[in-house]
Amino acid sequence: MNAKMLFRIAVIAGAVTYVAYWFLPYTYGYLDTFTGSLLSYGGHDAVFVGPELFHNVIFVAWLVAAVGLLLFRKLARSLFLILVVTTMALSPLYGLSVETAGGATLISIANMADGVVLALAYFSPVKNEFY
C-alpha cells in the first residue's frame, strides 16, 4: 500500500470515528438514570468552558479540513494542524469528565488517525501532493 492510499484511509478513519464519537451521546438512552447523569457530568474545575457554538464550529471545521485533506489542499492541511494543536492545548483546561469505554476507544482511534495523517501530510512523499 502506498503512502497516498494510507493517507486517505487515515483521514477517512479519523473522520468516521470522530463523527461517531460526536453523536455517541445520542445512543445513551439505554442507560439507567444514574449512569446517564454521570456521563453528562463534565467540566468540574474547568479553566476553559467554551459555549456549545464553539464546539459545533470546531466539529464543522474538523470535517471541512478532512474533506480538504482528501482533496490535497494546503489550506486544509494547515487548518487540520491548527485544530489538532489547539484541541490538544485546550484539553487540560476542560476539567474533569466521565467517558464510556466506547467513547474513549473512539476518541483514541481518532487521535491516532490524526497522528498518522499529520505524519504523512508533512513527513512523507504525500506532502508533495498538496496544492
Side-chain angles (χ1 to χ4, degrees), residues 5-131:
M5 181 62 74
L6 181 60
F7 176 79
R8 285 191 166 143
I9 290 170
V11 169
I12 292 168
V16 167
T17 54
Y18 188 58
V19 168
Y21 176 77
W22 183 263
F23 289 107
L24 190 63
Y26 297 105
T27 66
Y28 293 161
Y30 68 92
L31 297 172
D32 60 84
T33 308
F34 175 75
T35 307
S37 65
L38 185 63
L39 287 173
S40 67
Y41 179 77
H44 180 68
D45 284 341
V47 176
F48 175 78
V49 180
E52 190 66 30
L53 178 63
F54 172 79
H55 299 290
N56 292 337
V57 167
I58 294 294
F59 177 69
V60 171
W62 209 283
L63 294 178
V64 168
V67 171
L69 286 171
L70 289 173
L71 299 173
F72 295 99
R73 305 286 190 209
K74 280 187 180 181
L75 185 61
R77 182 175 64 172
S78 298
L79 174 63
F80 191 78
L81 177 63
I82 290 167
L83 287 169
V84 169
V85 170
T86 302
T87 55
M88 285 179 60
L90 290 176
S91 172
L93 306 177
Y94 288 152
L96 178 72
S97 64
V98 180
E99 186 69 66
T100 64
T105 301
L106 285 173
I107 203 63
S108 294
I109 292 170
N111 288 335
M112 286 186 284
D114 291 348
V116 170
V117 167
L118 288 174
L120 290 172
Y122 285 97
F123 304 112
S124 78
V126 173
K127 70 181 177 188
N128 300 324
E129 298 286 332
F130 287 89
Y131 60 94

